Amino acid sequence: SVVAWWVTPIGSVSWASRPRFLRLAAMGATTSRDPNLKDYFQLVVDAKGETSVVRRSFSNVESVGYSNVPQFCRGLEPSTAVPTGVVFTRMSGENPWHHCPGPQIVACLAGAWYVQTTDGATTTLQAGDVLYQDNTPAHPAAEAGTRKAQHYSGVAAGHATCDQLIVQLRQPAGPVADSARAPAPM
């Protein structure tokens, strides 16, 4: 199912203000001759339930004739994650310590937001940044009444809101028990 909380018609957004990853996909370009250098962020959970954010590079990127123009593309492996829904949302405040509602990919469309993890670090995500997370209440390291497998998030300083596109996922094998040491999901 698709839930639309906020939508801006793409025609009303200037080309230059579109998130960088959307401009690159539409142009069939990459920032390097090596398409594997495109980065995303992953909120990882170690075996003890501590969370942190790491920067990852997309793997297995292919140049394909998508939309009649060769573009670098990377699909999700059905054994890793299957999309189940899309949500457009506008973050306008803070979201105290919590698990994500389900595995998801969050793309920052406009504004900026931050993710604070239990290791004490804070990561700021700007328009065009992508975060993958599966720190759900069903995570093997999650423990009720603690901050295990949780994060704190909110709108970044200097911004009133953060517009996001969230792709909700189903993980056929369930959450990765120690994603800090596991292979990158994408």
Side-chain angles (χ1 to χ4, degrees):
S1 66
V2 176
V3 178
W5 290 331
W6 166 84
V7 177
T8 296
I10 199 72
S12 70
V13 179
S14 75
W15 183 257
S17 69
R18 289 182 187 169
R20 186 168 179 272
F21 74 93
L22 292 178
R23 292 193 314 266
L24 291 174
M27 294 177 355
T30 184
T31 57
S32 167
R33 292 178 189 261
D34 181 354
N36 292 327
L37 295 179
K38 180 161 179 49
D39 290 340
Y40 65 96
F41 296 91
Q42 180 183 358
L43 194 155
V44 297
V45 183
D46 70 16
K48 295 180 181 177
E50 186 167 294
T51 56
S52 59
V53 172
V54 296
R55 184 181 292 261
R56 305 260 197 205
S57 293
F58 284 100
S59 61
N60 302 320
V61 177
E62 299 178 281
S63 178
V64 297
Y66 184 79
S67 186
N68 296 326
V69 177
Q71 298 181 19
F72 292 108
C73 298
R74 169 62 163 96
L76 290 172
E77 299 297 327
S79 61
T80 302
V82 177
T84 60
V86 174
V87 175
F88 292 89
T89 186
R90 173 168 282 168
M91 179 185 278
S92 60
E94 293 191 329
N95 195 357
W97 292 101
H98 64 285
H99 299 101
C100 61
Q104 59 190 16
I105 297 169
V106 182
C108 181
L109 301 175
W113 66 300
Y114 68 88
V115 176
Q116 182 181 355
T117 47
T118 58
D119 67 353
T122 299
T123 303
T124 300
L125 296 109
Q126 306 285 335
D129 287 338
V130 175
L131 173 76
Y132 173 86
Q133 62 184 133
D134 69 351
N135 62 313
T136 69
H139 193 282
E143 188 177 307
T146 72
R147 291 184 178 169
K148 289 185 176 185
Q150 294 191 6
H151 67 282
Y152 192 110
S153 59
V155 176
H159 297 270
T161 60
C162 178
D163 299 334
Q164 300 173 334
L165 178 145
I166 301 171
V167 179
Q168 299 167 325
L169 305 168
R170 179 179 55 81
Q171 293 172 305
V176 176
D178 187 352
S179 56
R181 298 189 195 289
M186 297 188 280

